[in-house]
Every structure is written in structure tokens, then in C-alpha cells.
Amino acid sequence: TSNIDDRLDEGENNPSDNSSPSIKLNYKSAQQQVARLLKLKGLTKEQVAGVMGNIQQESNFNPLSVDGTASTGLIQWTRIYYGGKEKTLANVKTRIGSTIDSQITFLTNGSTDRYSLWVIQSSDYITPEQTATSFCNTVEKPGNPQLPQRIGYARHFYNELNNPSSPLSWSK
């Protein structure tokens, strides 16, 4: 995981995300905000790390991330996420908002039954690898899951949450 740790510490941008708007994003601050919001929503450390591993893979913690005309935001929501109810990606953007706070609030306030189901399923999981896998398969459902990366990122964030000197420390 040292490779993953090095890339995350440097705030590596997602090389496949060429269409994201050019913004100045404080990478570490975005991670801290996501961790804090998920903790406030009552998630366990393992669940927080699992969600963060998926967000890292999907958007590199950029709430304005756009993948062409197909998906947007931290979780890379799509029209299909809503059963095709949203007519355009612009409608999805309007629905989820453009900030980390609005998108985490949208996710955790029952945006779909998939998230609620995941919270119940994963509440007893004891590793971030389990929660990352479950979040990917239950909530994300990506076409190309790249599960080893999600799991590696989740482990990294779990280690950071357990490190008292980390800005992501659970005790802060």
C-alpha cells in the first residue's frame, strides 16, 4: 500500500478524469470534511474508510468532478442511479448540489434505498476492505469496479483514521 499512500499524500489527481472543471481543491481538507460528515452521520470507522476509498476512486474528492456526460460529483452519480428519472446530467447536478456537504448530506439522507441497505449490511463489518467492497457492490455499482484500488484506498484511510497524529484521526 505504500504506493497508494504516496499517491494519496501527494493529492494525486485522477488521470482518467480529464473533463473535471479546473478548480483549486484542498485535497486534505476535502478528505477531512468527508470523514467528519460521515462520522457525524453515525458511521463506524470501517464504514467511513470504505466510503472514502470509493470516493477516492470515483472523484478524487472533487465534488465538481464530471465524467463526460455520464456521471458527476463525489460518488459519480448518474441518471441511471435514479432509475432514469433524471432527464439530464444537469438535473442530477442540481439534485445533488455542488459542495461536499450537500453531496454527503444527499447520500446519507436516503438518496436511494441502496445506501440505507448498505448501512444496515455493513454495520457489523470489522474491516474497511469489507465496507469498501460492500459500498462498491451495493451503492456504487460501477461498470468497471477496480475493486483492488478501492480496497487499497479504504485501508489507507482506515490507517489514517486510527493514527492520532493524522489530520483524519478519529479522535479529533
Side-chain angles (χ1 to χ4, degrees):
T1 60
S2 64
N3 245 353
I4 289 173
D5 293 346
D6 292 343
R7 289 185 311 217
L8 289 173
D9 289 341
E10 294 168 7
E12 176 190 271
N13 289 321
N14 184 347
S16 65
D17 187 13
N18 297 325
S19 59
S20 291
S22 179
I23 62 164
K24 186 170 176 120
L25 178 69
N26 184 326
Y27 184 74
K28 290 291 185 185
S29 175
Q31 291 175 355
Q32 290 170 331
Q33 187 177 2
V34 167
R36 180 182 57 78
L37 291 168
L38 292 173
K39 182 180 178 183
L40 287 172
K41 294 293 184 175
L43 297 186
T44 66
K45 270 192 274 191
E46 293 80 11
Q47 288 172 317
V48 170
V51 173
M52 291 179 71
N54 277 274
I55 289 174
Q56 174 66 42
Q57 181 65 35
E58 291 294 323
S59 67
N60 199 37
F61 290 88
N62 181 351
L64 301 177
S65 178
V66 177
D67 181 10
T69 60
S71 57
T72 188
L74 292 173
I75 307 291
Q76 290 298 286
W77 282 282
T78 66
R79 292 182 315 108
I80 296 166
Y81 193 88
Y82 304 103
K85 292 178 188 170
E86 297 297 342
K87 301 283 187 231
T88 66
L89 194 57
N91 290 15
V92 173
K93 288 179 184 180
T94 299
R95 192 165 183 179
I96 65 171
S98 61
T99 66
I100 290 171
D101 186 61
S102 68
Q103 291 181 30
I104 295 296
T105 298
F106 181 77
L107 173 69
T108 58
N109 285 349
S111 59
T112 71
D113 292 338
R114 295 188 319 208
Y115 175 79
S116 301
L117 175 64
W118 172 78
V119 170
I120 293 166
Q121 287 176 340
S122 65
S123 62
D124 292 330
Y125 291 166
I126 59 171
T127 71
E129 291 84 359
Q130 290 172 307
T131 60
T133 300
S134 178
F135 191 86
C136 179
N137 294 334
T138 306
V139 179
E140 286 282 355
K141 297 186 175 188
N144 181 5
Q146 300 176 334
L147 201 50
Q149 290 91 330
R150 292 171 195 268
I151 288 171
Y153 294 140
R155 173 49 65 181
H156 167 83
F157 289 121
Y158 186 74
N159 292 342
E160 289 296 308
L161 292 167
N162 281 309
N163 178 351
S165 63
S166 168
L168 293 177
S169 175
W170 195 255
S171 61
K172 292 185 180 182

